[in-house]
Amino acid sequence: MEKRVSASAVAETESMVEVKNYIGGKWVSSSTSKWQDVNNPATGRPIGRVPFSTAGEVDAAVKAAKEAFPAWRATPPLERSRYFFRLKELMEDDLENIARTVTRENGKTIDDARGSVRRAIENVEVVTGIPSLMMGYNLEDGAGRNIDEEVIRQPLGVFTAICPFNFPAMVPFWFLPYAVACGNTFVLKPSEQVPLTQQRIFSQIDKVGFPPGVINLVNGGREAVDCLLDHPDIVGVSFVGSTPVAKYIYKRAAENGKRVQAQGGAKNVLVVMPDANYEKAIPNILGSCFGAAGQRCLAGSLIVAVGDAYGEVKRRLTEATAKMKVGNGLEPDTDMGPVISKEAKERILGYIDVGVKEGAELLFDGRQVKVEGHPDGFYVGPTIFDKVTPDMRIAREEIFGPVVGVIQAKDLDEALSIIASSPYGNSGSIYTESGKAAREFRYRAPVGNVGINIGVAAPMAYFPFSGQKSSFFGSHHGQGRDAIDFFTERKVVITRWL
Ligand code: NAD
């Protein structure tokens, strides 16, 4: 099958960036001997080098955060919020550069990158309201006659977040602004595959002039994570990444007495009812499955077509997919960029082979895609499997690439039972014009984020990023009111004046 590919003419002006840590208000070079290249997935060429920071460097970051905590905690919430007004302005001014850095190190299209930076900024906007968000509550005579009772919220100390590769700007901002605005101090550990975006954002954080040690950055991998999980001065851990690592983080941090919220992997189902508005649904489904090359935790990866929707969805989806242009995300007409790495590409191609062996039929095969000018880029074309059954590995396991399977179901009941049988519960969507079917779906689907005629049900900053089953471990989600609860302790005070 012939693919339309991009003849790339995007000039590579970038020089190699040596990634630094930001500790106690200063940029610091790591003294480690272990470094890794940061690659541009569109070209396959290195654009930076990231250190695997030593235990001593992680400790220095936590120490700086611990020392900064008492004064930061004592800074009134209104004053703390003003730092975030300033950060918002600086991030707005630098939005285009941040977005280009996201695309260069992650591969997603520039429009998608811009949207993700906008989402990061929205979290900053929300915490500018921290004086209201952090309020407690009280009840006069709540504990008896002349005895009042109240709840106050207090910050706890040093928090950390350990982040994945797929949203280098946005995911850290599900946590950092809330933790810090609540009066805690913070150590961020970005993904070692995409550390450049936070170099850029931290240069803005540096300009804001937060007191030294309030916000710190350490780069690294597993060793740095273990130091954070075991560090006695870290009070809480936020994690986003794959399910096996989420489980590990949840267990180890909890064993060490810390608060944990750990968001894991996904296998999201898009249910198409026969009465769906196909004109609107198909582009939406295409964006859900192939946007960011299928590397969103909210990406649709299974389409369950109910009754007559089956033939219609297959025909329309294949036609629309054939028009997609795969290429360098910096080119404005690219619909889908590369996947993150050579290893990811091999894993995804391996899954396509698995699907073929399992007996699924390829409606659209992305294995041979070539992008002119970028022979070494990590490209996998959009791939659609038909005749998928719920027990196949390609239906049960997270592929995290541009591969989607179509399953036929006789009715909504059967579609819901397919969702229920998945170990994951991140999100699920239904396409229908029936309010009754939509309500039934909302009521019964065991997923944290529900889309009704929406293929990527991404909660706004003031709503929690939910997730259930193996997609989330913990009780408080990122963002929204959950974030304020996670980053504060509620203290009860009972008062009697004699
Ligand atoms: P990953 O689990 O490989 O890595 C995430 C982070 O954990 C990185 O910072 C990495 O350095 C660290 N890490 C990796 N292995 C570790 C180990 N053995 N011990 C300690 N730390 C370790 O995830 P990824 O490949 O970067 O990201 C993709 C995954 O993230 C997908 O599974 C996707 O579904 C998931 N994700 C989930 C959400 C959500 O909200 N649920 C959002 C985005 C991404």
Side-chain angles (χ1 to χ4, degrees), residues 163-166 189 192 239-242 263-265 297 398 465:
C163 296
F165 79 80
N166 64 337
K189 208 296 285 173
E192 64 276 32
F239 172 84
V240 180
S242 58
Q263 302 183 205
C297 66
E398 182 179 43
F465 194 103

Side-chain angles (χ1 to χ4, degrees), residues 223 359 457:
E223 299 81 2

Side-chain angles (χ1 to χ4, degrees), residues 162-167 171 174 189-193 220-223 225-226 229 239-246 248-249 262-266 295-298 340 347 398 400 426 449 465-467 471-472:
I162 297 149
C163 296
F165 79 80
N166 64 337
F167 283 95
V171 167
W174 286 349
K189 208 296 285 173
S191 162
E192 64 276 32
Q193 297 191 86
R222 186 181 179 147
E223 299 81 2
V225 171
D226 283 346
L229 299 179
F239 172 84
V240 180
S242 58
T243 289
V245 183
Y248 167 77
I249 302 268
Q263 302 183 205
Q295 299 169 114
R296 292 189 190 122
C297 66
L298 296 175
I340 185 68
R347 188 195 68 239
E398 182 179 43
F400 219 54
N426 216 33
N449 302 292
F465 194 103
S466 292
S471 297
F472 180 68

Side-chain angles (χ1 to χ4, degrees), residues 229-247:
L229 299 179
D230 295 344
H231 202 294
D233 293 327
I234 293 277
V235 296
V237 178
S238 304
F239 172 84
V240 180
S242 58
T243 289
V245 183
K247 272 187 190 162

